[in-house]
Amino acid sequence: METTCDQDGSWDVYLKSCPCRGVLDLLANKWTALVLGVLEQRPHRFGELRRAVGGISQKMLTQNLRNLERDGFVSRKVFPTTPPTVEYALTPMGAEVSAHLVALSTWSQSNFDRIRQARSSYDTRSFEPVN
């Protein structure tokens, strides 16, 4: 049985031993943000998801979907076809968290010129050795 992490009885992701840190790790994963962003549009079959999320391996997609399903963010529905068809969709909790991750993705895209400028400025600086 999991217990709370803080002395006052609440969860604290900043504590190494707090089990809720695993949820943050899952949600901060780049693949999670991309998978949830795709599922926010509509339910998808596995192959559709893999094609929609460029660069994700079958193993990584499977792993992420299992973790998202386990934590209640994604539902998995199996249709009785030959071979079986499996469809993944956001749960209400998944839709709630997805809105935040999509907002972060949108912000990243909207501000990428500023980020690229900052990187360029950083990369062209000369650093003095520390004595």
Side-chain angles (χ1 to χ4, degrees):
M1 180 174 158
E2 293 181 46
T3 59
T4 57
C5 298
D6 231 349
Q7 292 173 352
D8 69 356
S10 61
W11 303 104
D12 185 349
V13 295
Y14 294 99
L15 294 175
K16 182 180 179 183
S17 62
C18 189
C20 66
R21 187 184 270 195
V23 177
L24 182 62
D25 290 343
L26 174 64
L27 294 175
N29 176 307
K30 71 176 177 181
W31 298 122
T32 296
L34 296 171
V35 168
L36 292 180
V38 170
L39 289 176
E40 189 177 60
Q41 300 164 11
R42 63 174 174 78
H44 282 69
R45 294 190 322 267
F46 185 89
E48 291 177 312
L49 274 171
R50 188 158 177 219
R51 286 187 295 277
V53 180
I56 193 167
S57 68
Q58 181 172 334
K59 177 184 175 186
M60 192 55 61
L61 180 55
T62 299
Q63 206 171 27
N64 271 265
L65 287 169
R66 284 181 183 158
N67 289 332
L68 289 166
E69 185 181 6
R70 180 175 186 248
D71 283 356
F73 298 116
V74 168
S75 65
R76 180 179 183 268
K77 185 175 182 181
V78 180
F79 295 92
T81 58
T82 306
T85 302
V86 179
E87 187 176 81
Y88 296 90
L90 293 180
T91 63
M93 188 167 58
E96 185 181 333
V97 76
S98 178
H100 296 287
L101 294 174
V102 168
L104 185 58
S105 298
T106 301
W107 184 93
S108 298
Q109 293 172 77
S110 298
N111 289 279
F112 190 68
D113 287 336
R114 292 171 49 202
I115 294 165
R116 199 166 47 187
Q117 210 170 21
R119 287 177 179 175
S120 178
S121 176
Y122 179 89
D123 293 345
T124 58
R125 286 192 311 190
S126 59
F127 292 93
E128 299 296 322
V130 178
N131 294 329

